[in-house]
Amino acid sequence: MRREFKFVGQQEKYSVLIRDEREKEGLNMEIFLDFPVVLQNLEGAKRKFRYDCYHDSGNGYQAVIQAEDLHGNCYEISDVWKQEADFIRLDRNVNCIKCVKETGIRLTTEFRCRDDKANTLDDYQFIIPGALYNKNDTDDDGVDDYLGTFSQDYKDDRNPSLSVMAFCRNSKRFISLIRGDLPQKDETITREQIRSRHFIHDTDIGSLGLAPSEYHAKEIILRCDYPFYERSSFCLNVDGSEWSAYKKITNGVKFGMTYLLKIDKAADLTEASWKTTQLQMDRILNPSVELPFSLEEARYYRRKMIHNSFREFPDKKGNPAGYFVHFSPRQKYGAQNLLEYGFCGQQTLLSLDMLTAAKDNQDVTYRERALKTLDYFIKNCIDDSGLPNGIYNVDKEEYVYWWTGILFPFQYSDDRKELEGYLGNQIVSSLMPVAEELRKVKGNYCRSMVDTMHYLMRCYLVEKADGAEHPEWLAAVVKFCDKLVEIQNGNGSWNRGYTMDGIPLTNPPQWFGKTAAEQGSGAIFPAQILVELYRFTGEEKYLASARRGAEFVYECYVKDVRYIGGLNDTTHCKSVKIDAVGVMFAMRTMLLVYEQTGDIKLLSGARDAARILASWTYLWDIPFDRHTLLGQHGFKTTGWACCDVIPGGSYVDCEFVEFVPELLRIAEYCRDTELAKLAGIVTRGMHHGLSMPQNMYGYAMPGIQCEGYMTSLWLADTEYKGFSGAAAKNKGDDNDTCNGLVNAQALLNLDYLSQTYGTMDFEHIIELIEKERHGDKR
């Protein structure tokens, strides 16, 4: 390999050319900065600059621009270019040396990247962590499923590893553009600024992006802006309006930032992504993730909050009983009317957590309440077909369907005006037609049904191990799994949703999928229950079915990094899209089948999913305005994963922690301590936001954690009147929603750590994995 870095003279001004040559392979990549700096002021005037001069400073090349804007303000921009072992580093410093008129400016740099083995845009694949994976095109219509364009930019606080990356499939080479320094400050963006779209703002948040090149078919553009510029974004509205911040300019103002370029080989898009993530884990990750309380204390209060949420209604049909955990954290539990199964507030997972707590606490009431919850579910909430219902309305004494999580208001209202008061006009306008269609159908999501029955089986096994038999629980699981085997598609997949009779749902197609890959995205769920039942019964049909599903997952989603279908409550008309939870379930499916079959291909697929999952995970702490809720209480983002209900990392949510046990097992099988380190930051980091006596977040009691937190903006200019979940909130807010899934998932992980390793101390856990890596016994 030979890398050439040079300044190219054009009329006594200088551009930059970087050439990466691999002579043996006959490969060549060029990165060209025609104008290293484009300066735009608040009024929209733009000027492009090449370097006036450059010299070898002994610590790299220093190149200087003497720039003047259209107001006559003068700037000195000094760039230091340095080739280091793993990347090229650019340190930029800007100094306003004369201010004639106060204004705001933004700096843009475009890196024109051309791989000689690429012919068109189709030969490139992309990763923008938490936002763009491959092309985000799972319906194969040739455009991105979120924004409808491949020209995309994301604010730094929406970027988990502060990087964007392009991979050429033909040359097996990639280039990553990385923000090299960590943003240090931000202030709340006001409604007036949102309305103006372009505004002066005191922030250290820039943006990174990419786009097809307008200059050449072989080229793609990687770009950086400071402060941020999002040329197309859901931050403000569903129309994708652009917006940008500008640095206030007065005499003597100075600021700086650092960028890195990593150019390397990779076997595929997953390896290219992982190499970028590894670099950032080495550079910016603080794996200790400090907390003001211990994980043991957290487990105590999480358990207590769930235990006290139990309610039973002897005056209602069937004596409903369960954990009613869907309320504002600022209330003590709120209205007690909906029993949620499946995705949101899984009653069976909560019951499993409480059965474990009963043994740890030696408190029989924990077990009694769990048994009442499960017995009610078994006797009342499973259809004759064997499929479980998703939500039961205790007040109305009837089942309700479909709407969970952020879209929950559709569950109790069909009045547009009332819905807009909860969700804002944009979401309601987008999803009202879908809601009207789904109201005609009695059914459930594949995920919701499998989640519910999987943890019912786990509860059965826990009770059986303690000498308590519940044959009716097992019978329900067997009937459900037999139904799963029956309705499995010929290609090994399952559909995203079914009627209560088990008929696959395909309408509306934007909700249940258009292509075979989209419609079959239910394939990422059933293996967990099928494998569990196979291990207990030895019935080969369950493992055979799970294996066919895992093969579909591997072939359809892993190879081209098109993990889809994990989310039920997406906020877009096109519901089946690439999302982080899709990666989590795909990882789990392949791992579980590998553990029973020894199929190394599936272990490799599970590891690939884990490595992509790392790219969804924040490796740094976003700065918050100190006056916001999260700023006041010291919320840290390290270890949280983007929730792609909200596109592009404006929001983090509770899901990842449930999958830490699988992540650790993959780390053990593959002797991969970096994945174990990832498991550690997820476990610890995702305890930020939990109300504890040391730090209550203004919540009604200890042990409350919201479903998600606003780490940037999303649909920020929507019209709204009151509670809006995550829509129209500002950066630094919570989503004002506590549900049962949050504590259920966290407790599942904490209990696993204690039972498996005898500790929640990740330094010790990683030491154990290191010993395994070097052939030592535990």
Side-chain angles (χ1 to χ4, degrees), residues 396-410:
K396 296 182 179 180
E397 297 186 323
E398 62 183 26
Y399 304 114
V400 289
Y401 302 94
W402 301 122
W403 302 108
T404 58
I406 290 172
L407 302 181
F408 202 73
F410 279 109

Side-chain angles (χ1 to χ4, degrees), residues 525-675:
F525 307 116
Q528 56 190 336
I529 179 63
L530 292 169
V531 167
E532 197 78 70
L533 188 58
Y534 162 75
R535 291 174 59 193
F536 182 74
T537 66
E539 286 278 350
E540 286 291 337
K541 64 180 179 180
Y542 301 126
L543 180 59
S545 179
R547 184 166 195 164
R548 290 175 58 220
E551 290 282 351
F552 179 87
V553 169
Y554 181 85
E555 295 296 330
C556 225
Y557 307 133
V558 177
K559 289 183 177 180
D560 288 326
V561 190
R562 305 209 315 171
Y563 299 91
I564 58 176
L567 297 171
N568 293 341
D569 62 330
T570 177
T571 55
H572 295 74
C573 277
K574 186 182 184 307
S575 179
V576 193
K577 297 183 303 298
I578 285 174
D579 60 59
V581 183
V583 190
M584 296 172 201
F585 275 103
M587 178 182 76
R588 174 182 281 177
T589 286
M590 289 180 288
L591 173 65
L592 290 173
V593 177
Y594 159 75
E595 288 178 325
Q596 299 307 311
T597 66
D599 187 339
I600 294 298
K601 179 183 71 175
L602 294 179
L603 176 60
S604 174
R607 183 198 60 195
D608 283 353
R611 289 177 168 181
I612 289 295
L613 195 49
S615 74
W616 287 87
T617 309
Y618 276 94
L619 305 179
W620 63 292
D621 294 326
I622 293 171
F624 292 97
D625 188 316
R626 62 186 178 86
H627 299 294
T628 63
L629 173 72
L630 301 188
Q632 289 172 358
H633 292 276
F635 184 90
K636 305 295 184 185
T637 50
T638 296
W640 285 85
C642 297
C643 171
D644 234 28
V645 166
I646 295 166
S650 291
Y651 178 79
V652 294
D653 83 333
C654 61
E655 296 270 11
F656 193 173
V657 73
E658 179 184 343
F659 298 83
V660 166
E662 286 81 7
L663 187 61
L664 282 169
R665 298 210 300 280
I666 294 168
E668 290 188 15
Y669 294 135
C670 299
R671 307 291 189 261
D672 191 331
T673 53
E674 287 175 301
L675 290 180

Side-chain angles (χ1 to χ4, degrees), residues 740-773:
L741 192 65
V742 182
N743 275 1
Q745 292 177 312
L747 288 170
L748 180 80
N749 179 33
L750 296 180
D751 291 341
Y752 176 85
L753 297 176
S754 294
Q755 293 164 357
T756 304
Y757 301 102
T759 181
M760 300 183 193
D761 180 353
F762 267 88
E763 286 189 12
H764 183 58
I765 292 170
I766 292 171
E767 282 178 10
L768 293 175
I769 293 173
E770 277 285 353
K771 288 179 180 179
E772 291 276 323
R773 181 177 184 178

Side-chain angles (χ1 to χ4, degrees), residues 243-264:
W243 67 319
S244 178
Y246 294 74
K247 197 78 174 179
K248 185 176 182 179
I249 293 301
T250 58
N251 203 48
V253 164
K254 297 180 180 180
F255 56 94
M257 72 293 300
T258 297
Y259 300 104
L260 313 177
L261 284 171
K262 181 174 176 62
I263 308 166
D264 203 350

Side-chain angles (χ1 to χ4, degrees), residues 135-186:
K135 297 281 200 321
N136 273 7
D137 179 21
T138 62
D139 58 5
D140 300 326
D141 64 354
V143 298
D144 169 88
D145 291 339
Y146 284 110
L147 288 169
T149 175
F150 296 124
S151 176
Q152 300 190 13
D153 307 271
Y154 293 87
K155 295 170 73 226
D156 292 335
D157 55 11
R158 305 174 71 202
N159 194 323
S161 60
L162 295 172
S163 66
V164 295
M165 185 265 285
F167 171 74
C168 179
R169 295 184 296 179
N170 300 343
S171 68
K172 304 296 183 185
R173 183 164 40 186
F174 71 92
I175 176 169
S176 294
L177 173 61
I178 298 166
R179 171 83 185 261
D181 59 317
L182 294 180
Q184 297 299 310
K185 69 170 295 185
D186 196 21

